[in-house]
Coordinates of all heavy atoms in Angstrom, one line a residue:
M997 N 23.5 2.2 12.6 CA 23.1 1.1 11.9 C 21.6 0.9 12.0 O 20.9 0.6 11.0 CB 23.8 -0.2 12.4 CG 23.6 -1.4 11.5 SD 24.1 -1.2 9.8 CE 23.7 -2.7 9.1
K998 N 21.1 1.0 13.2 CA 19.7 0.8 13.4 C 18.8 1.8 12.6 O 17.8 1.5 12.0 CB 19.4 1.0 14.9 CG 18.4 -0.1 15.4 CD 18.2 0.0 16.9 CE 17.1 -0.9 17.3 NZ 17.0 -0.8 18.8
R999 N 19.4 3.0 12.6 CA 18.7 4.1 11.9 C 18.7 3.8 10.4 O 17.7 4.1 9.7 CB 19.3 5.4 12.2 CG 18.7 6.2 13.3 CD 19.4 7.4 13.6 NE 19.1 8.4 12.6 CZ 19.7 9.6 12.7 NH1 20.5 9.9 13.6 NH2 19.5 10.5 11.7
F1000 N 19.7 3.3 9.9 CA 19.9 3.0 8.5 C 18.8 1.9 8.1 O 18.2 2.0 7.1 CB 21.3 2.5 8.2 CG 21.5 2.0 6.8 CD1 21.4 2.8 5.7 CD2 21.6 0.6 6.6 CE1 21.6 2.4 4.4 CE2 21.7 0.1 5.3 CZ 21.7 1.0 4.2
L1001 N 18.7 0.9 8.9 CA 17.7 -0.1 8.6 C 16.3 0.4 8.6 O 15.5 0.0 7.8 CB 17.9 -1.3 9.6 CG 19.1 -2.2 9.4 CD1 19.2 -3.2 10.5 CD2 18.9 -2.9 8.1
K1002 N 16.1 1.2 9.6 CA 14.7 1.8 9.7 C 14.4 2.6 8.4 O 13.3 2.6 7.9 CB 14.7 2.7 10.9 CG 13.3 2.9 11.5 CD 13.4 3.6 12.8 CE 12.0 3.9 13.3 NZ 12.1 4.7 14.5
K1003 N 15.4 3.4 7.9 CA 15.2 4.2 6.7 C 14.9 3.3 5.5 O 14.1 3.5 4.7 CB 16.4 5.0 6.5 CG 16.5 5.8 5.3 CD 16.6 7.3 5.5 CE 16.3 7.9 4.2 NZ 16.3 9.3 4.1
L1004 N 15.7 2.2 5.5 CA 15.6 1.3 4.4 C 14.2 0.7 4.3 O 13.5 0.5 3.3 CB 16.6 0.2 4.5 CG 17.0 -0.5 3.3 CD1 18.0 0.4 2.5 CD2 17.8 -1.8 3.6
K1005 N 13.7 0.3 5.5 CA 12.4 -0.3 5.7 C 11.3 0.7 5.2 O 10.4 0.3 4.5 CB 12.2 -0.6 7.1 CG 11.6 -2.0 7.3 CD 11.6 -2.3 8.8 CE 10.7 -3.4 9.1 NZ 10.7 -3.7 10.5
S1006 N 11.4 1.9 5.6 CA 10.4 2.9 5.2 C 10.4 3.2 3.7 O 9.4 3.4 3.1 CB 10.5 4.2 6.0 OG 11.6 4.9 5.6
L1007 N 11.6 3.1 3.1 CA 11.7 3.3 1.7 C 11.0 2.2 0.9 O 10.3 2.3 -0.1 CB 13.2 3.4 1.2 CG 13.8 4.7 1.4 CD1 15.3 4.6 1.1 CD2 13.2 5.8 0.5
F1008 N 11.3 1.0 1.4 CA 10.7 -0.2 0.8 C 9.2 -0.2 0.9 O 8.4 -0.5 0.0 CB 11.2 -1.5 1.5 CG 10.7 -2.7 1.0 CD1 11.0 -3.2 -0.2 CD2 9.8 -3.5 1.8 CE1 10.5 -4.4 -0.8 CE2 9.3 -4.7 1.3 CZ 9.7 -5.1 0.0
K1009 N 8.7 0.2 2.1 CA 7.3 0.3 2.3 C 6.6 1.3 1.3 O 5.5 1.1 0.8 CB 7.0 0.8 3.7 CG 6.3 -0.2 4.6 CD 6.0 0.4 5.9 CE 5.3 -0.5 6.8 NZ 5.3 0.0 8.2
A1010 N 7.3 2.4 1.1 CA 6.7 3.5 0.3 C 6.6 3.1 -1.1 O 5.8 3.6 -1.9 CB 7.6 4.7 0.4
K1011 N 7.3 2.1 -1.5 CA 7.3 1.7 -2.9 C 6.1 0.7 -3.2 O 5.8 0.4 -4.3 CB 8.6 1.0 -3.3 CG 9.7 2.0 -3.6 CD 10.5 1.6 -4.8 CE 11.3 2.7 -5.3 NZ 12.7 2.4 -5.1
R1012 N 5.6 0.1 -2.2 CA 4.5 -0.8 -2.4 C 3.2 -0.1 -2.6 O 2.9 1.0 -2.2 CB 4.4 -1.7 -1.1 CG 5.6 -2.6 -1.0 CD 5.5 -3.7 0.1 NE 4.1 -4.2 0.0 CZ 3.6 -4.8 1.0 NH1 4.2 -4.9 2.2 NH2 2.4 -5.3 0.9
F1013 N 2.3 -0.8 -3.3 CA 1.0 -0.2 -3.7 C 0.0 -0.5 -2.6 O 0.0 -1.6 -2.0 CB 0.5 -0.8 -5.0 CG 1.4 -0.4 -6.1 CD1 2.0 -1.4 -6.9 CD2 1.6 0.9 -6.5 CE1 2.9 -1.1 -7.9 CE2 2.5 1.3 -7.5 CZ 3.1 0.3 -8.2
L1014 N -0.8 0.4 -2.3 CA -1.8 0.3 -1.3 C -2.7 -0.9 -1.5 O -3.1 -1.6 -0.7 CB -2.6 1.5 -1.1 CG -2.0 2.7 -0.3 CD1 -3.0 3.8 -0.3 CD2 -1.7 2.2 1.0
C1015 N -3.1 -1.1 -2.8 CA -4.1 -2.1 -3.2 C -3.6 -3.5 -2.7 O -4.5 -4.3 -2.5 CB -4.3 -2.1 -4.6 SG -4.9 -0.5 -5.2
D1016 N -2.3 -3.7 -2.7 CA -1.8 -5.0 -2.3 C -2.3 -5.5 -1.0 O -2.4 -6.7 -0.7 CB -0.3 -5.1 -2.4 CG 0.2 -4.9 -3.8 OD1 -0.6 -5.1 -4.7 OD2 1.4 -4.6 -4.0
S1017 N -2.5 -4.5 -0.1 CA -3.0 -4.9 1.3 C -4.3 -4.4 1.6 O -4.7 -4.3 2.7 CB -1.9 -4.4 2.3 OG -1.9 -3.0 2.2
C1018 N -5.1 -4.0 0.6 CA -6.4 -3.4 0.8 C -7.5 -4.4 0.8 O -7.5 -5.4 0.1 CB -6.7 -2.4 -0.3 SG -8.2 -1.5 -0.1
K1019 N -8.4 -4.1 1.7 CA -9.6 -5.0 1.9 C -10.4 -5.0 0.7 O -11.1 -6.0 0.4 CB -10.4 -4.3 3.0 CG -11.3 -5.1 3.8 CD -11.8 -4.3 5.0 CE -13.2 -4.6 5.3 NZ -13.8 -3.8 6.3
Y1020 N -10.4 -4.0 -0.1 CA -11.3 -3.9 -1.3 C -10.6 -4.4 -2.6 O -11.1 -4.2 -3.7 CB -11.8 -2.5 -1.5 CG -12.4 -2.0 -0.3 CD1 -11.9 -0.9 0.4 CD2 -13.6 -2.6 0.3 CE1 -12.5 -0.4 1.5 CE2 -14.2 -2.1 1.4 CZ -13.6 -1.0 2.0 OH -14.2 -0.5 3.2
D1021 N -9.5 -5.0 -2.4 CA -8.8 -5.5 -3.6 C -9.3 -6.8 -4.2 O -8.6 -7.8 -4.2 CB -7.3 -5.5 -3.3 CG -6.4 -5.8 -4.6 OD1 -6.9 -5.4 -5.7 OD2 -5.3 -6.4 -4.5
Y1022 N -10.5 -6.8 -4.6 CA -11.0 -8.0 -5.3 C -12.1 -7.5 -6.3 O -12.6 -6.3 -6.2 CB -11.6 -9.0 -4.4 CG -12.7 -8.6 -3.4 CD1 -14.0 -8.7 -3.9 CD2 -12.4 -8.1 -2.2 CE1 -15.1 -8.3 -3.0 CE2 -13.5 -7.7 -1.3 CZ -14.8 -7.8 -1.8 OH -15.8 -7.4 -1.0
R1023 N -12.4 -8.3 -7.2 CA -13.2 -7.9 -8.3 C -14.6 -7.4 -7.8 O -15.2 -8.0 -7.0 CB -13.5 -9.0 -9.3 CG -13.8 -8.6 -10.7 CD -13.2 -9.5 -11.7 NE -13.5 -10.9 -11.5 CZ -14.3 -11.6 -12.2 NH1 -14.9 -11.0 -13.3 NH2 -14.6 -12.8 -12.0
G1024 N -15.0 -6.2 -8.3 CA -16.2 -5.7 -8.0 C -16.3 -4.8 -6.7 O -17.2 -4.0 -6.6
A1025 N -15.3 -5.0 -5.9 CA -15.3 -4.2 -4.6 C -14.8 -2.8 -4.8 O -15.2 -1.9 -4.0 CB -14.5 -4.9 -3.6
C1026 N -14.0 -2.6 -5.8 CA -13.4 -1.3 -5.9 C -13.4 -0.9 -7.4 O -13.0 -1.7 -8.2 CB -12.0 -1.3 -5.4 SG -11.1 0.2 -5.9
S1027 N -13.9 0.3 -7.7 CA -13.9 0.7 -9.1 C -13.1 1.9 -9.4 O -13.2 2.6 -10.3 CB -15.4 0.9 -9.6 OG -15.9 1.9 -8.7
R1028 N -12.1 2.1 -8.5 CA -11.2 3.3 -8.6 C -10.3 3.0 -9.8 O -9.8 1.9 -10.0 CB -10.4 3.5 -7.4 CG -11.2 4.0 -6.2 CD -10.4 4.5 -5.1 NE -11.1 5.4 -4.3 CZ -11.2 6.7 -4.4 NH1 -10.5 7.3 -5.3 NH2 -11.9 7.4 -3.6
P1029 N -10.1 4.1 -10.6 CA -9.1 3.9 -11.7 C -7.7 3.6 -11.3 O -7.0 3.1 -12.1 CB -9.3 5.3 -12.5 CG -9.8 6.2 -11.5 CD -10.6 5.4 -10.5
E1030 N -7.3 4.0 -10.1 CA -5.9 3.8 -9.7 C -5.6 2.4 -9.3 O -4.5 2.0 -9.1 CB -5.5 4.8 -8.6 CG -6.4 4.8 -7.4 CD -7.5 5.9 -7.5 OE1 -8.3 5.9 -8.4 OE2 -7.5 6.7 -6.6
K1031 N -6.7 1.6 -9.1 CA -6.5 0.2 -8.8 C -5.8 -0.5 -10.0 O -6.3 -0.3 -11.1 CB -7.8 -0.4 -8.4 CG -7.7 -1.8 -7.9 CD -9.1 -2.4 -7.7 CE -9.0 -3.9 -7.4 NZ -10.1 -4.6 -7.7
P1032 N -4.9 -1.4 -9.8 CA -4.4 -1.9 -8.5 C -3.1 -1.3 -8.1 O -2.4 -1.9 -7.3 CB -4.1 -3.4 -8.9 CG -3.6 -3.3 -10.3 CD -4.3 -2.1 -10.9
N1033 N -2.8 -0.1 -8.6 CA -1.5 0.5 -8.3 C -1.7 1.8 -7.5 O -0.8 2.7 -7.7 CB -0.8 0.8 -9.6 CG -0.4 -0.5 -10.3 OD1 -0.3 -1.6 -9.7 ND2 -0.4 -0.4 -11.6
A1034 N -2.6 1.9 -6.6 CA -2.8 3.1 -5.9 C -1.7 3.3 -4.9 O -1.3 2.4 -4.2 CB -4.1 3.1 -5.1
I1035 N -1.2 4.5 -4.8 CA -0.2 4.9 -3.9 C -0.8 5.7 -2.8 O -0.4 5.6 -1.6 CB 1.0 5.7 -4.6 CG1 1.6 4.7 -5.6 CG2 2.0 6.1 -3.6 CD1 2.7 5.3 -6.3
E1036 N -1.8 6.4 -3.1 CA -2.6 7.1 -2.1 C -4.1 6.8 -2.4 O -4.5 6.8 -3.6 CB -2.4 8.6 -2.3 CG -1.2 9.1 -1.5 CD -1.1 10.6 -1.7 OE1 -1.9 11.2 -2.3 OE2 -0.1 11.1 -1.2
C1037 N -4.9 6.6 -1.4 CA -6.3 6.3 -1.7 C -7.1 6.5 -0.4 O -6.8 6.0 0.7 CB -6.4 4.8 -2.1 SG -8.1 4.3 -2.3
P1038 N -8.1 7.4 -0.5 CA -9.0 7.7 0.6 C -9.8 6.6 1.1 O -10.3 6.6 2.2 CB -9.8 8.9 0.1 CG -9.8 8.8 -1.4 CD -8.5 8.1 -1.8
D1039 N -10.0 5.6 0.2 CA -10.9 4.4 0.6 C -10.1 3.3 1.2 O -10.7 2.2 1.5 CB -11.6 4.0 -0.6 CG -12.7 5.0 -1.1 OD1 -13.1 5.8 -0.2 OD2 -13.1 4.9 -2.2
Y1040 N -8.8 3.4 1.2 CA -8.0 2.3 1.6 C -8.3 1.8 3.0 O -8.5 2.6 4.0 CB -6.5 2.7 1.6 CG -5.6 1.7 2.2 CD1 -5.3 0.5 1.5 CD2 -5.0 1.8 3.5 CE1 -4.4 -0.4 2.0 CE2 -4.2 0.8 4.0 CZ -3.9 -0.3 3.3 OH -3.1 -1.3 3.8
K1041 N -8.5 0.5 3.1 CA -8.7 -0.2 4.4 C -7.8 -1.4 4.5 O -7.8 -2.2 3.6 CB -10.1 -0.6 4.5 CG -11.1 0.3 5.2 CD -11.4 -0.1 6.6 CE -12.0 1.0 7.4 NZ -13.2 1.6 7.0
K1042 N -7.0 -1.5 5.6 CA -6.1 -2.6 5.7 C -6.9 -3.9 5.9 O -7.9 -4.0 6.5 CB -5.2 -2.4 6.9 CG -4.1 -3.3 6.9 CD -3.0 -2.7 7.8 CE -1.8 -3.7 8.1 NZ -1.3 -4.3 6.9
R1043 N -6.4 -4.9 5.1 CA -7.0 -6.2 5.2 C -6.8 -6.9 6.5 O -5.7 -6.8 7.0 CB -6.5 -7.1 4.1 CG -7.6 -7.8 3.4 CD -7.2 -8.6 2.2 NE -5.8 -8.4 1.7 CZ -5.6 -8.5 0.3 NH1 -6.6 -8.7 -0.5 NH2 -4.4 -8.3 -0.1
Ligands
SF4_1475 S1 -10.0 1.1 -2.4 FE1 -8.1 2.2 -3.0 S2 -6.4 1.0 -2.1 FE2 -8.2 -0.3 -2.1 S3 -8.2 -1.5 -3.9 FE3 -9.4 0.3 -4.4 S4 -7.9 1.8 -5.2 FE4 -6.8 0.2 -4.2

């Protein structure tokens, strides 16, 4: 059961976009074309 929950959690996490929690997710801070739906981003910084 514990393992199942862990798996579920990681699946949920994987679906979220990086920009949602990125420090640069505001106007002018990021000009990447993948914004706001980046799944992978070399510039990502956690807020
Ligand atoms: S730096 Fe990357 S993750 Fe952050 S807002 Fe821009 S595109 Fe999104």
Side-chain angles (χ1 to χ4, degrees):
M997 187 61 182
K998 221 172 174 182
R999 266 177 73 185
F1000 173 71
L1001 282 175
K1002 208 170 170 187
K1003 172 120 190 175
L1004 206 74
K1005 224 172 167 181
S1006 72
L1007 278 174
F1008 180 69
K1009 243 187 182 168
K1011 281 221 167 114
R1012 292 189 42 203
F1013 298 118
L1014 280 182
C1015 300
D1016 292 344
S1017 62
C1018 180
K1019 206 172 143 182
Y1020 306 117
D1021 187 26
Y1022 59 88
R1023 206 144 53 111
C1026 170
S1027 54
R1028 290 193 161 267
E1030 53 267 58
K1031 190 185 168 204
N1033 298 330
I1035 296 182
E1036 274 180 5
C1037 178
D1039 291 338
Y1040 173 76
K1041 267 254 159 65
K1042 194 160 171 49
R1043 222 175 349 214

